[in-house]
mmCIF file of all heavy atoms in Angstrom:
data_model
loop_
_atom_site.group_PDB
_atom_site.id
_atom_site.type_symbol
_atom_site.label_atom_id
_atom_site.label_comp_id
_atom_site.label_asym_id
_atom_site.label_seq_id
_atom_site.Cartn_x
_atom_site.Cartn_y
_atom_site.Cartn_z
ATOM 1 N N LYS A 1 -24.567 3.567 12.882
ATOM 2 C CA LYS A 1 -25.040 3.800 14.239
ATOM 3 C C LYS A 1 -23.865 3.939 15.206
ATOM 4 O O LYS A 1 -24.073 4.308 16.356
ATOM 5 C CB LYS A 1 -25.942 2.617 14.681
ATOM 6 C CG LYS A 1 -27.169 2.447 13.844
ATOM 7 C CD LYS A 1 -27.954 1.232 14.296
ATOM 8 C CE LYS A 1 -29.187 0.998 13.442
ATOM 9 N NZ LYS A 1 -29.923 -0.194 13.892
ATOM 10 N N ASP A 2 -22.631 3.591 14.774
ATOM 11 C CA ASP A 2 -21.495 3.512 15.655
ATOM 12 C C ASP A 2 -20.595 4.719 15.528
ATOM 13 O O ASP A 2 -20.490 5.342 14.479
ATOM 14 C CB ASP A 2 -20.688 2.244 15.355
ATOM 15 C CG ASP A 2 -21.524 0.997 15.436
ATOM 16 O OD1 ASP A 2 -22.366 0.918 16.347
ATOM 17 O OD2 ASP A 2 -21.355 0.115 14.547
ATOM 18 N N ILE A 3 -19.923 5.066 16.650
ATOM 19 C CA ILE A 3 -18.949 6.146 16.625
ATOM 20 C C ILE A 3 -17.718 5.655 15.851
ATOM 21 O O ILE A 3 -17.213 4.579 16.109
ATOM 22 C CB ILE A 3 -18.568 6.568 18.040
ATOM 23 C CG1 ILE A 3 -19.814 7.018 18.813
ATOM 24 C CG2 ILE A 3 -17.524 7.678 18.002
ATOM 25 C CD1 ILE A 3 -20.555 8.190 18.177
ATOM 26 N N ALA A 4 -17.243 6.436 14.955
ATOM 27 C CA ALA A 4 -16.119 6.072 14.112
ATOM 28 C C ALA A 4 -14.836 6.605 14.704
ATOM 29 O O ALA A 4 -14.789 7.729 15.227
ATOM 30 C CB ALA A 4 -16.279 6.612 12.718
ATOM 31 N N GLN A 5 -13.757 5.809 14.591
ATOM 32 C CA GLN A 5 -12.451 6.254 14.944
ATOM 33 C C GLN A 5 -11.450 5.612 13.975
ATOM 34 O O GLN A 5 -11.779 4.601 13.320
ATOM 35 C CB GLN A 5 -12.053 5.899 16.387
ATOM 36 C CG GLN A 5 -11.775 4.400 16.577
ATOM 37 C CD GLN A 5 -11.087 4.109 17.885
ATOM 38 O OE1 GLN A 5 -11.579 4.501 18.937
ATOM 39 N NE2 GLN A 5 -9.963 3.430 17.796
ATOM 40 N N PHE A 6 -10.278 6.192 13.864
ATOM 41 C CA PHE A 6 -9.284 5.592 13.039
ATOM 42 C C PHE A 6 -8.767 4.291 13.681
ATOM 43 O O PHE A 6 -8.693 4.179 14.898
ATOM 44 C CB PHE A 6 -8.102 6.527 12.797
ATOM 45 C CG PHE A 6 -8.465 7.701 11.939
ATOM 46 C CD1 PHE A 6 -8.427 9.007 12.439
ATOM 47 C CD2 PHE A 6 -8.878 7.533 10.609
ATOM 48 C CE1 PHE A 6 -8.753 10.094 11.629
ATOM 49 C CE2 PHE A 6 -9.188 8.590 9.804
ATOM 50 C CZ PHE A 6 -9.152 9.869 10.292
ATOM 51 N N ALA A 7 -8.400 3.332 12.822
ATOM 52 C CA ALA A 7 -7.821 2.101 13.344
ATOM 53 C C ALA A 7 -6.580 2.462 14.162
ATOM 54 O O ALA A 7 -5.753 3.279 13.704
ATOM 55 C CB ALA A 7 -7.447 1.190 12.209
ATOM 56 N N PRO A 8 -6.452 1.876 15.352
ATOM 57 C CA PRO A 8 -5.403 2.348 16.295
ATOM 58 C C PRO A 8 -4.005 2.035 15.829
ATOM 59 O O PRO A 8 -3.047 2.521 16.462
ATOM 60 C CB PRO A 8 -5.751 1.622 17.584
ATOM 61 C CG PRO A 8 -6.525 0.416 17.180
ATOM 62 C CD PRO A 8 -7.308 0.852 15.964
ATOM 63 N N ASN A 9 -3.816 1.222 14.793
ATOM 64 C CA ASN A 9 -2.441 0.963 14.315
ATOM 65 C C ASN A 9 -1.945 2.057 13.407
ATOM 66 O O ASN A 9 -0.752 2.049 13.025
ATOM 67 C CB ASN A 9 -2.381 -0.388 13.602
ATOM 68 C CG ASN A 9 -3.333 -0.516 12.461
ATOM 69 O OD1 ASN A 9 -4.512 -0.149 12.585
ATOM 70 N ND2 ASN A 9 -2.897 -1.000 11.305
ATOM 71 N N PHE A 10 -2.803 3.019 13.031
ATOM 72 C CA PHE A 10 -2.396 4.080 12.116
ATOM 73 C C PHE A 10 -2.231 5.423 12.836
ATOM 74 O O PHE A 10 -3.047 5.760 13.716
ATOM 75 C CB PHE A 10 -3.438 4.267 10.997
ATOM 76 C CG PHE A 10 -3.397 3.173 9.948
ATOM 77 C CD1 PHE A 10 -4.474 2.337 9.776
ATOM 78 C CD2 PHE A 10 -2.281 3.027 9.133
ATOM 79 C CE1 PHE A 10 -4.460 1.337 8.829
ATOM 80 C CE2 PHE A 10 -2.253 2.043 8.179
ATOM 81 C CZ PHE A 10 -3.329 1.178 8.016
ATOM 82 N N THR A 11 -1.202 6.141 12.433
ATOM 83 C CA THR A 11 -1.173 7.571 12.688
ATOM 84 C C THR A 11 -1.603 8.234 11.382
ATOM 85 O O THR A 11 -1.138 7.870 10.318
ATOM 86 C CB THR A 11 0.255 8.024 13.022
ATOM 87 O OG1 THR A 11 0.659 7.386 14.245
ATOM 88 C CG2 THR A 11 0.326 9.533 13.222
ATOM 89 N N VAL A 12 -2.568 9.199 11.505
ATOM 90 C CA VAL A 12 -3.183 9.767 10.282
ATOM 91 C C VAL A 12 -2.739 11.207 10.125
ATOM 92 O O VAL A 12 -2.835 12.028 11.037
ATOM 93 C CB VAL A 12 -4.731 9.662 10.381
ATOM 94 C CG1 VAL A 12 -5.347 10.191 9.097
ATOM 95 C CG2 VAL A 12 -5.158 8.237 10.636
ATOM 96 N N TYR A 13 -2.258 11.487 8.922
ATOM 97 C CA TYR A 13 -1.783 12.834 8.572
ATOM 98 C C TYR A 13 -2.677 13.400 7.468
ATOM 99 O O TYR A 13 -3.028 12.711 6.503
ATOM 100 C CB TYR A 13 -0.352 12.804 8.035
ATOM 101 C CG TYR A 13 0.685 12.400 9.026
ATOM 102 C CD1 TYR A 13 0.996 11.030 9.174
ATOM 103 C CD2 TYR A 13 1.355 13.317 9.816
ATOM 104 C CE1 TYR A 13 1.972 10.620 10.078
ATOM 105 C CE2 TYR A 13 2.326 12.917 10.711
ATOM 106 C CZ TYR A 13 2.638 11.554 10.856
ATOM 107 O OH TYR A 13 3.570 11.152 11.751
ATOM 108 N N VAL A 14 -3.084 14.659 7.627
ATOM 109 C CA VAL A 14 -3.853 15.388 6.602
ATOM 110 C C VAL A 14 -2.886 16.352 5.948
ATOM 111 O O VAL A 14 -2.207 17.173 6.610
ATOM 112 C CB VAL A 14 -5.038 16.127 7.203
ATOM 113 C CG1 VAL A 14 -5.710 16.992 6.146
ATOM 114 C CG2 VAL A 14 -6.034 15.160 7.803
ATOM 115 N N LEU A 15 -2.794 16.273 4.624
ATOM 116 C CA LEU A 15 -1.931 17.157 3.853
ATOM 117 C C LEU A 15 -2.837 18.012 2.956
ATOM 118 O O LEU A 15 -3.223 17.614 1.856
ATOM 119 C CB LEU A 15 -0.970 16.380 2.937
ATOM 120 C CG LEU A 15 0.157 15.600 3.617
ATOM 121 C CD1 LEU A 15 -0.333 14.327 4.296
ATOM 122 C CD2 LEU A 15 1.258 15.261 2.607
ATOM 123 N N PRO A 16 -3.294 19.177 3.464
ATOM 124 C CA PRO A 16 -4.227 20.033 2.725
ATOM 125 C C PRO A 16 -3.595 20.389 1.368
ATOM 126 O O PRO A 16 -2.368 20.521 1.253
ATOM 127 C CB PRO A 16 -4.410 21.265 3.597
ATOM 128 C CG PRO A 16 -3.998 20.810 4.963
ATOM 129 C CD PRO A 16 -2.913 19.795 4.750
ATOM 130 N N PRO A 17 -4.384 20.531 0.320
ATOM 131 C CA PRO A 17 -5.828 20.520 0.406
ATOM 132 C C PRO A 17 -6.506 19.180 0.104
ATOM 133 O O PRO A 17 -7.700 18.992 0.346
ATOM 134 C CB PRO A 17 -6.224 21.515 -0.687
ATOM 135 C CG PRO A 17 -5.163 21.322 -1.746
ATOM 136 C CD PRO A 17 -3.897 21.015 -1.002
ATOM 137 N N ASP A 18 -5.725 18.163 -0.390
ATOM 138 C CA ASP A 18 -6.454 16.992 -0.909
ATOM 139 C C ASP A 18 -5.723 15.663 -0.722
ATOM 140 O O ASP A 18 -5.895 14.739 -1.496
ATOM 141 C CB ASP A 18 -6.724 17.193 -2.409
ATOM 142 C CG ASP A 18 -5.457 17.362 -3.224
ATOM 143 O OD1 ASP A 18 -4.346 17.382 -2.622
ATOM 144 O OD2 ASP A 18 -5.573 17.454 -4.469
ATOM 145 N N GLN A 19 -4.871 15.490 0.342
ATOM 146 C CA GLN A 19 -4.223 14.233 0.553
ATOM 147 C C GLN A 19 -4.281 13.841 2.011
ATOM 148 O O GLN A 19 -4.148 14.686 2.910
ATOM 149 C CB GLN A 19 -2.750 14.302 0.095
ATOM 150 C CG GLN A 19 -2.589 14.426 -1.421
ATOM 151 C CD GLN A 19 -1.112 14.460 -1.802
ATOM 152 O OE1 GLN A 19 -0.306 14.995 -1.105
ATOM 153 N NE2 GLN A 19 -0.824 13.851 -2.973
ATOM 154 N N VAL A 20 -4.444 12.510 2.241
ATOM 155 C CA VAL A 20 -4.460 11.945 3.580
ATOM 156 C C VAL A 20 -3.478 10.756 3.584
ATOM 157 O O VAL A 20 -3.492 9.933 2.651
ATOM 158 C CB VAL A 20 -5.873 11.456 4.000
ATOM 159 C CG1 VAL A 20 -5.829 10.827 5.389
ATOM 160 C CG2 VAL A 20 -6.874 12.589 3.959
ATOM 161 N N CYS A 21 -2.658 10.666 4.608
ATOM 162 C CA CYS A 21 -1.708 9.531 4.732
ATOM 163 C C CYS A 21 -2.036 8.740 5.975
ATOM 164 O O CYS A 21 -2.090 9.282 7.085
ATOM 165 C CB CYS A 21 -0.275 10.073 4.803
ATOM 166 S SG CYS A 21 0.962 8.759 5.030
ATOM 167 N N PHE A 22 -2.228 7.440 5.773
ATOM 168 C CA PHE A 22 -2.364 6.496 6.879
ATOM 169 C C PHE A 22 -1.004 5.835 7.064
ATOM 170 O O PHE A 22 -0.512 5.098 6.179
ATOM 171 C CB PHE A 22 -3.444 5.453 6.562
ATOM 172 C CG PHE A 22 -4.833 6.014 6.562
ATOM 173 C CD1 PHE A 22 -5.346 6.676 5.465
ATOM 174 C CD2 PHE A 22 -5.633 5.872 7.687
ATOM 175 C CE1 PHE A 22 -6.630 7.196 5.463
ATOM 176 C CE2 PHE A 22 -6.909 6.427 7.703
ATOM 177 C CZ PHE A 22 -7.416 7.050 6.586
ATOM 178 N N TYR A 23 -0.374 6.072 8.213
ATOM 179 C CA TYR A 23 1.022 5.713 8.407
ATOM 180 C C TYR A 23 1.165 4.760 9.578
ATOM 181 O O TYR A 23 0.689 5.026 10.711
ATOM 182 C CB TYR A 23 1.851 6.965 8.708
ATOM 183 C CG TYR A 23 3.322 6.763 8.728
ATOM 184 C CD1 TYR A 23 4.118 6.969 7.628
ATOM 185 C CD2 TYR A 23 3.956 6.306 9.904
ATOM 186 C CE1 TYR A 23 5.484 6.807 7.642
ATOM 187 C CE2 TYR A 23 5.333 6.090 9.941
ATOM 188 C CZ TYR A 23 6.091 6.336 8.810
ATOM 189 O OH TYR A 23 7.447 6.145 8.823
ATOM 190 N N SER A 24 1.742 3.581 9.342
ATOM 191 C CA SER A 24 2.085 2.657 10.415
ATOM 192 C C SER A 24 3.499 2.148 10.174
ATOM 193 O O SER A 24 4.094 2.444 9.140
ATOM 194 C CB SER A 24 1.097 1.505 10.477
ATOM 195 O OG SER A 24 1.291 0.608 9.404
ATOM 196 N N GLU A 25 4.010 1.333 11.070
ATOM 197 C CA GLU A 25 5.394 0.836 10.942
ATOM 198 C C GLU A 25 5.571 -0.054 9.724
ATOM 199 O O GLU A 25 6.656 -0.098 9.156
ATOM 200 C CB GLU A 25 5.799 0.098 12.209
ATOM 201 C CG GLU A 25 5.933 0.979 13.429
ATOM 202 C CD GLU A 25 6.249 0.201 14.659
ATOM 203 O OE1 GLU A 25 5.303 -0.341 15.267
ATOM 204 O OE2 GLU A 25 7.438 0.132 15.035
ATOM 205 N N ASP A 26 4.529 -0.778 9.354
ATOM 206 C CA ASP A 26 4.676 -1.730 8.258
ATOM 207 C C ASP A 26 3.838 -1.379 7.018
ATOM 208 O O ASP A 26 4.031 -2.014 5.986
ATOM 209 C CB ASP A 26 4.333 -3.138 8.731
ATOM 210 C CG ASP A 26 2.887 -3.255 9.203
ATOM 211 O OD1 ASP A 26 2.336 -2.259 9.709
ATOM 212 O OD2 ASP A 26 2.309 -4.360 9.045
ATOM 213 N N ARG A 27 2.934 -0.412 7.132
ATOM 214 C CA ARG A 27 2.111 -0.067 6.004
ATOM 215 C C ARG A 27 1.889 1.441 5.922
ATOM 216 O O ARG A 27 1.695 2.103 6.932
ATOM 217 C CB ARG A 27 0.751 -0.777 6.054
ATOM 218 C CG ARG A 27 0.844 -2.296 5.889
ATOM 219 C CD ARG A 27 -0.537 -2.946 5.910
ATOM 220 N NE ARG A 27 -1.158 -2.828 7.215
ATOM 221 C CZ ARG A 27 -2.392 -3.208 7.487
ATOM 222 N NH1 ARG A 27 -3.148 -3.726 6.516
ATOM 223 N NH2 ARG A 27 -2.903 -3.101 8.684
ATOM 224 N N LYS A 28 1.903 1.941 4.679
ATOM 225 C CA LYS A 28 1.672 3.377 4.445
ATOM 226 C C LYS A 28 0.734 3.522 3.234
ATOM 227 O O LYS A 28 0.960 2.895 2.193
ATOM 228 C CB LYS A 28 2.975 4.104 4.127
ATOM 229 C CG LYS A 28 3.896 4.301 5.350
ATOM 230 C CD LYS A 28 4.771 3.090 5.577
ATOM 231 C CE LYS A 28 5.702 3.304 6.768
ATOM 232 N NZ LYS A 28 6.397 2.034 7.140
ATOM 233 N N PHE A 29 -0.365 4.303 3.399
ATOM 234 C CA PHE A 29 -1.317 4.465 2.329
ATOM 235 C C PHE A 29 -1.662 5.942 2.171
ATOM 236 O O PHE A 29 -1.743 6.693 3.160
ATOM 237 C CB PHE A 29 -2.625 3.685 2.615
ATOM 238 C CG PHE A 29 -2.404 2.233 2.820
ATOM 239 C CD1 PHE A 29 -2.371 1.685 4.091
ATOM 240 C CD2 PHE A 29 -2.233 1.376 1.729
ATOM 241 C CE1 PHE A 29 -2.170 0.320 4.284
ATOM 242 C CE2 PHE A 29 -2.040 0.016 1.902
ATOM 243 C CZ PHE A 29 -2.013 -0.521 3.210
#
């Protein structure tokens, strides 16, 4: 029911065609 947003501690990169990187100062996924 809620509007979704990325957690504000992450900068999110899309690497087409099939990879997403969640990047912060202390964690990268």
Side-chain angles (χ1 to χ4, degrees):
K1 300 178 182 179
D2 305 319
I3 302 301
Q5 73 166 55
F6 290 117
N9 57 312
F10 286 115
T11 298
V12 183
Y13 296 88
V14 174
L15 289 76
D18 61 357
Q19 291 182 325
V20 178
C21 178
F22 289 83
Y23 188 95
S24 72
E25 292 176 278
D26 62 329
R27 291 184 293 175
K28 288 84 179 170
F29 301 101

